């Protein structure tokens, strides 16, 4: 009987021990996962196949998954350890990705090479200064993350396209509409009116944590009794009141375009082929127009964000060296040229951008012509997005009937919401 | 009309006065019910628990005082007394449990329990390889896992203490049985008792374990999160988070309630709309559904089955599909606006879902459209159940259809469906689908903090706090408050409803 007891106890202990052993055992695999947006899947698969043929002794398998460049952080923050080893993202998510541990530092000599080959702004978009040292986290592969104006040449003339008033007038005359997002998560677009008026927004980080953020929208514009914010917010309110103005998202753009009601619209390169298809001969794109302030009787150039798309290696990747090798390949000159040829994505690589076909691209030209005045879009805290999103719906919901008093309240709320 | 009146006086009142008297008394009684809940029910609950613990203490004290050496050794070595008294099965089970516990604490639980106070100290590290220039990363503590395993370990300790108590009690009883000269139950008898006098334990064991693991422990975990600063800035496994006490609660309650964009103000506003919504959504569906059912049930209405089928067809379409379609149709560029504009009725689109007030109205209307068939189906059955002779005698006494409705139909319905109404109300407080799919909480506004919009319910705001803002600690606070609100409201209204008070009526 005693033997039975002892064997039972030993058995129980062993069972418990093995159960714990199983729990402690992590997975050890030899695959690299790459995340890319839906429309780049085929392209990336080809690039990966090329990579494999060029590096026959590359020991890992490469798997491809879907994740939009705008969703990278949202996806990754759910479970950073189980996320892709290499993935693309829009540069404004860098700080958050860094905080989540989702980006790995790029070795110093690779950075030097990146700086030689790419536009300086694009490389710096992947940089974070920590304790006085600059560290680089992103391999740039696209310099077209911005917005500009598409228009129908038969509706809006080249001169009219220079000013918002001209565009609206032309639309009115032709019974068409000017589309600008003010209602459907418009934060990316809305700041442009404020920067145009001369306002600025700054955010400072220390070890990836926001130490201070704020704007000068409340300050009076030079030689005027109105503040930057007042000028911008009034202009937005007046735009909202215009009968030929329509808020938009990609679906609405599509509807208006196919319905032949689109006179002009503010959007980015991702809509270029669609525009070309429906506007045909009348397809045109140019820099954003200026807007006229009824307060100061002055014109202000709308200032867009200039953003980049970067590729990063996950800090939790178990194969750091191989992942960096792959990321460098997927953002090389060859890869960027292919991206432009197939999908019309504007390259950040200097050699790829110098190609004749890139220079002829109408949309990219419009985007690049804004280089002199656009604002480089750094990493913005989430308060920025929610503040401007809310401002947009507040103004849009006001139907252009908001009084100067309520606009002043909104402005004050915006300033407070932006401050950290 | 606000004073408690005698039965005689009550009988003197007219019908309408009786109704309003009852109505006023119900709401007058609510504060007292709330007070009773907090001053009587909750202390009573804790008192019961205290009594149980006191009972344990007495048993253990008795065993320590009167126990023989076998029983006393059991205080340290689980199951010793049982083994010594040849109750092999019990003895082995207790002993194995103790050994397992010690092993678990030594190998696994101890370290997590040690870090539970700080939720981790070592931050993830970053080292540059001097040769290749590659950066490698060293793992730090994972606050989330420490919190989770810490709670599991504490739960295990509670189980251990309980097992310790059961072990002592069982050995003491065995000793008493032996002293009385009776025979102890054998392993076979113990097993057999699980199918006889202990059968409830066999039956309830698995559900109880499931409930604990899948419901109670996650809830405890969630409650603990409310006292941490787990948010976007402190995202494990890379960053550590830690205890911050009541700070999150202070943000909701201590904040400036009147001012703009504070959590306190937002919470108050969102709660107000949540309650309004639940009220309108519940009663509009209930009353209109009942009216439709009555109309269809009426004698002389032809094609009853056809009408019912047509209404039930809307149920056949999945709710989320109808909602998404509605959201499209009501949009600025949606079908409704397009049609109205092409007819020339309006110049500019009506902001069905983008204007704060109009959006609220649209939501309630769409909800009526979606909800009526369900209420109609349910009430049809109950309406057919009302004894026809009641109506007949009413008619003979000269009551018209309106009087019959208020005197017979409505009281009967209210009595039978009160629990249903309460579940509906609570369900609507947490009605995520309708709001999220129709407006997504839009329109957003700078007046609110935490990304909340004008039509956000607490539950959809919670979703935003978690998914968009990653304010897990704050979200946990909101969900605790939601739980308290829904639990208190449902318990009190349910206990005061006539179906509970006068259970035998209409039987």
């Amino acid at each position: 009987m005693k033997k039975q007891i002892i064997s039972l106890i030993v058995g129980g202990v062993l069972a418990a021990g093995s159960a714990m052993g199983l729990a402690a055992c992590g997975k050890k695999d030899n695959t690299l996962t790459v995340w890319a947006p839906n429309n780049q899947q085929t392209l990336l698969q080809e690039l990966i196949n090329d990579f494999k043929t060029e590096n026959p002794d590359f020991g890992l398998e490469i798997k491809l998954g879907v994740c939009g460049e705008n969703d990278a952080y949202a996806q990754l923050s759910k479970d950073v350890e189980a996320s892709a080893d290499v993935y693309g993202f829009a540069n404004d998510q860098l700080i958050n990705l860094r905080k989540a541990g989702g980006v790995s530092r790029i070795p110093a000599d690779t950075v030097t090479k990146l700086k030689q080959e790419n536009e300086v702004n694009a490389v710096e978009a992947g940089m974070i200064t920590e304790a006085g040292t600059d560290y680089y986290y992103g391999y740039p592969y696209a310099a077209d993350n911005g917005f500009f104006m598409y228009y129908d040449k038969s509706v809006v003339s080249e001169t009219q396209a220079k000013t918002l008033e001209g565009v609206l007038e032309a639309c009115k005359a032709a019974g068409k509409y000017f589309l600008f997002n003010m209602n459907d998560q418009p934060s990316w677009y809305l700041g442009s009116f404020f920067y145009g008026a001369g306002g600025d927004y700054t955010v400072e980080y220390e070890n990836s944590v926001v130490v201070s953020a704020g704007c000068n929208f409340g300050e009076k514009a030079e030689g005027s009794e109105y503040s930057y914010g007042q000028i911008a917010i009034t202009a937005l309110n007046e735009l909202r009141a215009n009968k030929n103005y329509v808020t938009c998202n990609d679906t609405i753009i599509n509807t208006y375009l196919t319905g032949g009601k689109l006179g002009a619209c503010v959007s980015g390169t991702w809509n270029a082929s669609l525009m070309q298809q429906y506007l045909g001969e009348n397809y045109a794109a140019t820099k954003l127009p200026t807007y006229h302030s009824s307060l100061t009787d002055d014109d202000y150039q709308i200032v867009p964000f200039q953003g980049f798309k970067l590729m990063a290696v996950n800090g939790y990747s178990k194969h750091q060296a191989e992942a960096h090798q792959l990321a460098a390949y997927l953002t090389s000159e060859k890869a960027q040229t292919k991206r432009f040829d197939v999908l019309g994505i504007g390259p950040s690589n200097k050699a790829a951008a110098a190609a004749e076909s890139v220079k002829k691209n109408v949309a990219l030209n419009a985007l690049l012509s804004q280089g002199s005045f656009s604002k480089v879009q750094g990493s913005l805290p989430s308060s920025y997005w929610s503040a401007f999103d809310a401002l947009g719906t507040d103004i849009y919901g006001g139907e252009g009937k908001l009084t100067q008093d309520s606009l002043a309240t909104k402005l004050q709320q915006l300033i407070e919401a932006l401050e950290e | 009309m606000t004073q408690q009146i005698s039965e005689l006086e009550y009988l003197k009142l007219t019908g309408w006065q009786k109704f309003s008297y009852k109505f006023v008394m119900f709401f007058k009684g609510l504060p007292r019910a709330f007070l009773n809940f907090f001053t009587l029910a909750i202390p009573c609950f804790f008192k019961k628990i205290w009594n149980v613990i006191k009972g344990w203490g007495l048993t253990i004290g008795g065993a320590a005082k009167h126990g023989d050496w076998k029983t006393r050794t059991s205080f340290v070595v689980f199951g010793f007394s049982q083994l010594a008294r040849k109750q092999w099965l019990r003895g082995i089970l207790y002993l194995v449990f103790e050994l397992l516990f010690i092993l678990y604490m030594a190998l696994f639980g101890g370290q997590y329990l040690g870090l539970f106070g700080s939720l981790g100290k070592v931050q993830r590290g970053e080292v540059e390889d001097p040769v290749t220039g590659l950066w490698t990363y060293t793992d730090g503590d994972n606050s989330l896992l420490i919190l989770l395993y810490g709670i599991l370990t504490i739960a295990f300790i509670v189980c251990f203490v309980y097992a310790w108590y059961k072990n002592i009690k069982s050995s003491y009883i065995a000793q008493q049985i032996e002293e009385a000269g009776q025979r102890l139950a054998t392993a076979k008898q113990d097993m057999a008792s699980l199918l006889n006098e202990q059968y409830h334990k066999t039956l309830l064991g698995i559900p109880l374990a499931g409930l604990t693991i899948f419901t109670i422990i996650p809830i405890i975990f969630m409650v603990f999160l409310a006292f941490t600063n787990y948010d976007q800035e402190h995202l494990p496994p890379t960053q550590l988070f830690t205890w911050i006490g009541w700070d999150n609660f202070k943000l909701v309650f201590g904040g400036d309630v009147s001012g703009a964009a504070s959590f306190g103000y937002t919470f108050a506003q969102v709660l107000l709309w949540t309650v309004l919504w639940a009220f309108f959504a519940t009663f509009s569906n209930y009353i209109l559904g009942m009216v439709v059912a009555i109309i269809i049930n009426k004698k002389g209405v032809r094609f009853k089955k056809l009408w019912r089928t047509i209404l039930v067809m809307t149920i056949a379409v999945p709710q989320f599909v109808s909602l998404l379609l509605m959201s499209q149709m009501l949009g600025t560029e949606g079908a409704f606006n397009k049609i109205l504009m092409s007819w020339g009725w309006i110049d500019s689109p009506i902001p069905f879902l983008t204007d704060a007030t109009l959006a609220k109205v649209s939501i309630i209307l769409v909800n009526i459209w979606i909800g009526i068939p369900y209420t109609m189906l349910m009430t049809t059955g109950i309406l057919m159940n009302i004894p026809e002779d009641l109506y007949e005698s009413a008619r003979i006494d000269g009551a018209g259809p309106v009087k019959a409705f208020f005197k017979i139909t409505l009281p009967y319905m209210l009595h039978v469906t009160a629990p249903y109404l309460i579940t509906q109300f609570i369900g609507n407080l947490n009605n995520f689908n309708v709001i999220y799919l129709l407006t997504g909480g839009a329109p957003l506004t700078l007046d609110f903090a935490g990304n909340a919009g004008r039509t956000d319910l607490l539950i959809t705001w919670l979703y935003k706090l978690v998914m968009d803002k990653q304010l897990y600690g704050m979200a946990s606070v909101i969900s605790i408050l939601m739980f308290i609100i829904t639990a208190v409201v449902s318990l009190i209204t349910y206990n005061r409803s006539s179906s509970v008070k006068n259970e035998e009526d209409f039987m």
Side-chain angles (χ1 to χ4, degrees):
Chain A
M1 207 58 179
K2 252 184 190 164
K3 263 186 187 168
Q4 264 181 326
I5 301 169
I6 291 168
S7 63
L8 263 175
I9 294 172
V10 170
V13 170
L14 277 179
S18 61
M20 271 174 219
L22 276 178
C25 171
K27 54 167 188 180
K28 205 180 174 194
D29 53 357
N30 58 339
T31 42
L32 274 185
T33 317
V34 180
W35 275 354
N38 220 346
N39 63 346
Q40 294 184 25
Q41 294 286 312
T42 344
L43 181 93
L44 272 209
Q45 194 56 58
E46 280 169 26
L47 283 172
I48 289 170
N49 292 344
D50 292 353
F51 176 76
K52 276 188 197 156
T53 25
E54 283 176 39
N55 302 280
D57 49 353
F58 190 75
L60 303 173
E61 260 181 65
I62 303 171
K63 247 174 41 189
L64 198 56
V66 181
C67 174
E69 286 135 342
N70 298 328
D71 296 332
Y73 174 69
Q75 286 295 324
L76 198 116
S77 61
K78 281 180 194 157
D79 187 354
V80 63
E81 285 162 290
S83 292
D85 298 280
V86 177
Y87 60 92
F89 66 100
N91 73 304
D92 57 271
Q93 300 165 44
L94 180 64
I95 287 273
N96 280 338
L97 285 168
R98 166 76 181 142
K99 258 187 303 204
V103 284
S104 155
R105 284 179 186 161
I106 300 174
D109 35 337
T110 316
V111 173
T112 325
K113 203 167 152 236
L114 285 178
K115 278 185 183 164
Q116 285 164 0
E117 291 174 355
N118 287 281
E119 217 181 291
V120 186
N121 276 349
V123 184
E124 307 230 304
M127 180 193 81
I128 301 175
T129 310
E130 282 164 33
T133 319
D134 294 344
Y135 292 107
Y136 292 82
Y137 296 91
Y139 294 85
Y141 66 86
D144 62 356
N145 202 19
F147 49 93
F148 48 92
M149 189 172 78
Y150 291 105
Y151 65 96
D152 185 338
K153 264 193 271 188
S154 67
V155 174
V156 185
S157 74
E158 213 169 304
T159 355
Q160 281 172 318
K162 288 201 167 69
T163 64
L164 187 57
E165 292 66 40
V167 172
L168 288 168
E169 226 165 78
C171 286
K172 192 179 175 188
K176 303 219 173 180
Y177 295 90
F178 167 67
L179 276 62
F180 176 77
N181 188 353
M182 206 186 275
N183 197 27
D184 190 12
Q185 303 187 325
S187 42
W188 195 44
Y189 302 94
L190 276 193
S192 60
F193 273 71
F194 290 81
Y195 306 130
D200 203 5
Y201 170 84
T202 45
V203 52
E204 266 180 60
Y205 294 96
E206 208 174 282
N207 296 327
S208 302
V209 174
V210 181
V211 280
S212 75
C215 62
N216 66 351
F217 299 161
E219 288 168 24
K220 290 214 168 8
E222 266 174 61
S224 154
E225 53 176 314
Y226 300 101
S227 66
Y228 300 121
Q230 240 175 323
I231 296 170
I233 207 167
T234 313
L236 282 170
N237 189 40
E238 282 166 8
L239 175 64
R240 171 67 181 97
N242 194 294
K243 292 256 188 264
N244 291 84
Y245 159 78
V246 171
T247 185
C248 68
N249 52 30
D250 281 356
T251 323
I252 294 179
I253 290 179
N254 202 330
T255 323
Y256 272 75
L257 194 58
T258 49
K261 285 203 237 160
L262 184 132
C265 121
V266 172
S267 184
T269 45
W270 61 92
N271 271 324
S273 51
L274 190 78
M275 293 282 170
Q276 202 160 9
Q277 186 188 339
Y278 282 96
L279 295 180
E281 279 184 358
N282 296 321
Y283 167 66
T286 180
K287 72 165 185 66
L288 289 173
T290 61
Y291 69 87
H292 184 84
S293 168
S294 58
L295 298 176
T296 59
D297 205 25
D298 255 330
D299 289 321
Y300 302 91
Q301 171 62 48
I302 303 176
V303 173
F305 269 140
Q306 185 190 17
F308 301 92
K309 283 177 184 151
L310 311 170
M311 204 162 258
V313 171
N314 191 334
Y316 282 87
S317 169
K318 293 197 181 76
H319 312 283
Q320 289 287 331
E322 291 88 344
H324 276 287
Q325 193 191 347
L326 181 64
Y329 183 86
L330 294 178
T331 56
S332 61
E333 183 197 333
K334 188 186 147 201
Q336 294 202 21
T337 309
K338 201 161 184 178
R339 269 201 187 80
F340 173 78
D341 289 343
V342 180
L343 296 167
I345 294 173
S348 65
N349 184 294
K350 283 185 237 172
E356 202 55 37
S357 52
V358 178
K359 285 185 174 158
K360 273 188 195 153
N361 186 300
V362 177
L364 279 182
N365 256 328
L367 189 72
L368 294 177
S369 68
Q370 298 181 139
S372 56
F373 60 81
S374 58
K375 182 175 165 70
V376 174
Q377 175 191 0
S379 283
L380 299 168
S382 73
S383 61
Y384 181 89
W385 305 113
S386 36
F388 272 106
D389 278 343
L391 177 80
T393 43
D394 271 344
I395 294 181
Y396 189 82
E399 300 184 349
K401 288 172 199 146
L402 296 178
T403 60
Q404 274 300 324
D405 280 346
S406 48
L407 286 177
T409 322
K410 286 294 148 207
L411 179 61
Q412 195 50 42
Q413 284 175 338
L414 174 76
I415 292 169
E416 278 166 24
L418 288 174
E419 239 157 65
E420 278 194 34
Chain B
M1 208 53 148
T2 53
Q3 298 288 317
Q4 182 90 41
I5 54 175
S6 71
E7 206 169 327
L8 201 65
E9 281 173 308
Y10 176 74
L11 288 173
K12 270 195 272 178
L13 299 173
T14 64
W16 176 245
Q17 279 172 325
K18 272 181 192 161
F19 174 74
S20 60
Y21 171 74
K22 273 192 195 160
F23 190 77
V24 169
M25 290 316 286
F26 176 81
F27 283 99
K28 264 197 81 181
L30 276 185
R32 156 145 288 181
F34 273 92
L35 206 68
N36 284 348
F37 182 75
F38 286 108
T39 55
L40 297 177
I42 290 179
C44 190
F45 174 72
F46 282 109
K47 210 171 167 188
K48 269 186 198 157
I49 290 183
W50 173 239
N51 283 339
V52 169
I53 294 173
K54 224 159 67 179
W56 291 10
L58 287 176
T59 313
I60 291 166
K65 217 170 171 186
H66 308 296
D68 58 8
W69 66 277
K70 291 175 190 166
T71 305
R72 287 187 186 174
T73 316
S74 278
F75 274 71
V76 185
V77 183
F78 280 31
F80 181 84
S81 155
Q82 286 87 341
L83 287 175
R85 293 180 221 278
K86 299 193 177 138
Q87 284 187 303
W88 302 115
L89 186 71
R90 288 187 184 211
I92 288 165
L93 283 177
Y94 280 123
L95 193 60
V96 166
F97 184 76
E98 184 178 20
L99 289 174
L100 263 182
F101 178 77
I102 292 169
L103 212 65
Y104 170 83
M105 287 304 283
L107 294 178
F108 193 73
Q111 46 172 332
Y112 283 106
L113 206 60
L115 288 170
F116 196 65
S118 61
L119 293 181
K121 288 171 182 153
V122 186
Q123 184 102 23
R124 183 176 158 83
E126 218 162 3
V127 196
E128 190 178 10
D129 187 324
V131 186
T132 59
L134 272 174
W135 291 83
T136 48
Y137 297 84
T138 53
D139 282 339
D141 289 335
N142 187 332
S143 302
L144 201 64
L145 290 185
I146 292 170
L147 183 62
L148 182 63
Y149 290 135
I151 289 169
L152 285 179
T153 307
I154 290 171
F156 201 16
I157 291 173
V158 171
C159 289
F160 179 74
V161 171
Y162 183 65
W164 180 69
Y165 157 75
K166 288 296 273 187
N167 148 58
I168 290 167
K169 190 181 170 191
S170 140
S171 40
Y172 188 42
I173 290 173
Q175 179 196 333
Q176 284 171 332
I177 291 173
E178 246 184 12
E179 278 165 6
Q182 287 164 331
R183 283 181 55 186
L184 289 168
T186 63
K188 215 171 179 182
Q189 283 168 331
D190 278 342
M191 292 303 285
S193 85
L194 279 178
L195 292 174
N196 277 319
E197 59 265 38
Q198 310 255 38
Y199 194 48
H200 62 285
K201 288 184 188 166
T202 317
L203 277 187
L204 288 176
I206 291 170
L208 199 68
L211 197 71
T212 314
I213 294 168
F214 297 114
T215 309
I216 296 176
I217 289 185
I219 286 179
I220 293 174
F221 177 70
M222 197 266 315
V223 170
F224 274 89
L225 275 188
F227 301 93
T228 67
N229 59 354
Y230 180 21
D231 61 18
Q232 200 178 49
E233 305 284 322
H234 306 90
L235 213 57
T238 310
Q239 313 283 339
L240 300 169
F241 64 79
T242 187
W243 301 110
I244 53 163
W246 292 88
D247 285 8
N248 283 330
F249 287 89
K250 280 181 199 154
L251 261 181
V252 173
F253 288 114
D256 167 21
V257 180
S258 61
S262 71
F263 272 97
Y265 176 74
T266 311
F267 179 74
Q269 291 292 312
V270 174
L271 177 64
L272 181 70
W273 160 237
T274 307
V275 173
L276 272 179
W277 146 259
F279 179 83
F280 282 115
T282 310
F283 287 98
S284 60
N285 271 352
Y286 182 66
I287 292 170
L288 291 174
M290 194 156 43
V291 167
V292 170
I294 289 172
I295 292 173
I296 294 179
N297 266 9
K298 209 160 169 52
K299 268 185 200 149
V301 173
R302 296 173 71 191
F303 313 120
K304 282 187 177 148
K305 282 185 182 162
L306 175 74
W307 303 131
R308 264 182 223 138
T309 313
I310 289 175
L311 276 163
V312 170
M313 290 278 268
T314 56
I315 300 180
V317 182
Q319 206 187 44
F320 80 95
V321 175
S322 334
L323 286 169
L324 281 176
L325 266 177
M326 271 302 195
S327 146
Q328 287 293 318
M329 287 162 80
L330 289 170
T332 325
E333 296 303 320
F336 281 127
N337 276 319
K338 281 274 167 65
I339 291 172
L340 290 177
M341 274 163 91
S342 70
W343 285 349
W345 289 13
I346 49 171
D347 294 333
S348 55
I350 299 170
F352 288 115
L353 297 177
T354 46
D355 177 76
T357 323
L358 208 52
K360 289 176 182 175
V361 176
S362 314
I363 289 170
I364 290 173
L365 287 179
V366 171
N367 184 61
I368 288 175
W369 182 71
I370 285 174
I372 277 186
Y374 290 94
T375 333
M376 186 217 64
L377 261 192
M378 202 203 64
T379 45
T380 304
I382 304 170
L383 284 173
M384 289 182 189
N385 236 355
I386 302 180
E388 190 56 33
D389 47 356
L390 285 179
Y391 289 106
E392 228 165 87
S393 40
R395 229 179 354 261
I396 292 165
D397 288 343
V402 177
K403 192 145 199 168
F405 176 78
F406 281 107
K407 289 286 176 187
I408 301 169
T409 317
L410 199 59
Y412 192 94
M413 292 300 295
L414 276 176
H415 177 80
V416 177
T417 54
Y420 162 81
L421 264 182
I422 293 164
T423 11
Q424 279 294 299
F425 187 80
I426 302 301
N428 276 326
L429 282 180
N430 288 333
N431 198 333
F432 182 83
N433 275 10
V434 172
I435 304 290
Y436 186 76
L437 295 175
L438 266 184
T439 64
L444 292 173
T445 173
L446 279 169
D447 295 345
F448 289 173
N451 226 9
R454 296 267 185 210
T455 58
D456 260 324
L457 299 183
L458 283 173
I459 188 93
T460 53
W461 186 33
L462 191 69
Y463 177 83
K464 283 184 180 174
L465 284 178
V466 172
M467 301 307 287
D468 302 347
K469 305 288 277 186
Q470 295 176 315
L471 290 168
Y472 300 102
M474 183 54 90
S476 168
V477 171
I478 304 286
S479 58
I480 290 173
L481 295 176
M482 272 167 63
F483 173 74
I484 293 174
I485 292 166
T486 46
V488 170
V489 168
S490 48
L491 279 178
I492 289 172
T493 46
Y494 181 69
N495 280 326
R496 293 180 64 79
S497 70
S498 84
S499 356
V500 171
K501 278 184 171 171
N502 316 313
E503 218 171 317
E504 276 84 40
D505 284 13
F506 292 109
M507 290 284 264

